């Protein structure tokens, strides 16, 4: 066992020790990298889970999906329309003479006008809450309890019949003086007939609001 062999053995032994030290140093680094990867995986999965819940696709339900939001929003809009339309008809009936009389027309005195009746019933403006109210009531029918369905449909039918009739009476009244044998008295007659239709329309909406449990 010569000097050269001893030197070679000593060098080899020293190199092995150095390699062990390097491996020992790398081990915490690998553990640290693994922990980092685990944390990234954890937070990534958590983010996906939260996003899924917000969109309504997560496990266990979560917030309603966009379609449900839209349905809920439309129901609220429809309820508000019927309630506002009911309130407007209440105001019209309480202020009938004032709302169906027009002054400062360039003629002497004031004239009765039926146009406000058509307006309040939703026949003059697409932005009016009672514009196509029959379709609004139809959409809300899904909220009606089975025990009240017959009464609700009766109210819907009454609205459709009397709103059309009231608008027609108001329209005929607007031409009352121009028709043969017509005059202010004929205008007055048709306006008052349309008032009865407005009363029936308000009653129909009131019934619908009661069934839908909407305060009025």
């Amino acid at each position: 066992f010569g000097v050269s062999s001893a030197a070679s053995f000593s060098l080899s032994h020293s190199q092995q020790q150095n390699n062990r030290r390097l491996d020992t140093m790398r081990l915490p680094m690998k553990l640290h990298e693994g922990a980092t990867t685990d944390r990234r995986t954890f937070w990534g999965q958590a983010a996906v889970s939260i996003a899924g819940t917000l969109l309504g696709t997560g496990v266990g339900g979560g917030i309603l999906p966009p379609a449900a939001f839209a349905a809920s929003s439309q129901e609220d809009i429809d309820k508000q329309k019927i309630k506002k339309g009911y309130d407007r008809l209440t105001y019209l009936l309480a202020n009938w003479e004032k709302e169906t009389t027009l002054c400062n027309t360039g003629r002497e005195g004031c004239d009765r006008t039926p146009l406000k009746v058509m307006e309040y019933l939703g026949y003059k403006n697409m932005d009016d809450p009672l514009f196509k109210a029959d379709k609004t009531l139809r959409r809300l029918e899904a909220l009606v309890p089975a025990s009240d369905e017959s009464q609700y449909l009766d109210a819907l039918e009454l609205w459709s019949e009397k709103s059309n009739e009231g608008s027609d009476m108001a329209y005929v009244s607007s031409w009352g003086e121009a028709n043969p044998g017509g005059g202010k008295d004929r205008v007055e007659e048709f306006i008052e007939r349309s008032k009865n239709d407005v009363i029936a329309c308000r009653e129909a909406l009131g019934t619908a609001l009661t069934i839908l449990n909407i305060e009025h």
Side-chain angles (χ1 to χ4, degrees), residues 16-182:
Q16 289 177 3
Q17 286 182 330
N18 288 336
N19 288 340
R20 289 195 194 98
R21 292 193 190 98
L22 289 172
D23 289 341
T24 303
M25 292 173 64
R26 290 191 187 104
L27 182 58
M29 292 176 65
K30 289 181 179 179
L31 290 174
H32 179 71
E33 290 170 357
T36 301
T37 302
D38 290 342
R39 284 198 296 271
R40 287 174 181 168
T41 301
F42 170 78
W43 288 114
Q45 291 175 344
V48 171
S49 177
I50 292 171
T53 302
L54 290 174
L55 292 174
T57 58
V59 177
I63 299 175
L64 292 173
F69 274 124
S72 178
S73 176
Q74 185 60 56
E75 286 177 1
D76 290 340
I77 291 172
D78 288 342
K79 288 178 180 179
Q80 291 171 11
K81 283 183 176 181
I82 298 303
K83 174 63 167 62
K84 188 174 181 179
Y86 174 87
D87 290 341
R88 280 168 55 80
L89 292 186
T90 300
Y91 176 83
L92 172 62
L93 291 171
N95 299 273
W96 185 259
E97 291 288 335
K98 173 186 173 183
E99 289 297 303
T100 58
T101 301
L102 184 63
C103 299
N104 301 321
T105 59
R107 299 169 58 179
E108 184 178 349
C110 300
D111 295 319
R112 298 297 300 279
T113 174
L115 298 181
K116 281 294 186 73
V117 177
M118 300 172 69
E119 179 182 326
Y120 275 84
L121 290 174
Y123 284 85
K124 296 288 289 182
N125 192 332
M126 293 176 60
D127 294 328
D128 190 272
L130 293 180
F131 177 73
K132 294 186 176 180
D134 54 334
K135 292 186 177 181
T136 304
L137 291 168
R138 283 288 184 188
R139 286 195 296 269
L140 291 171
E141 187 181 347
L143 305 177
V144 176
S147 58
D148 295 324
E149 187 172 0
S150 177
Q151 186 182 7
Y152 186 85
L153 292 176
D154 287 344
L156 197 160
E157 184 177 347
L158 178 63
W159 161 263
S160 297
E161 176 187 344
K162 294 302 181 179
S163 62
N164 285 330
E165 188 175 298
S167 179
D168 289 345
M169 286 294 102
Y171 179 79
V172 170
S173 174
S174 67
W175 292 93
E177 291 189 71
N179 292 331

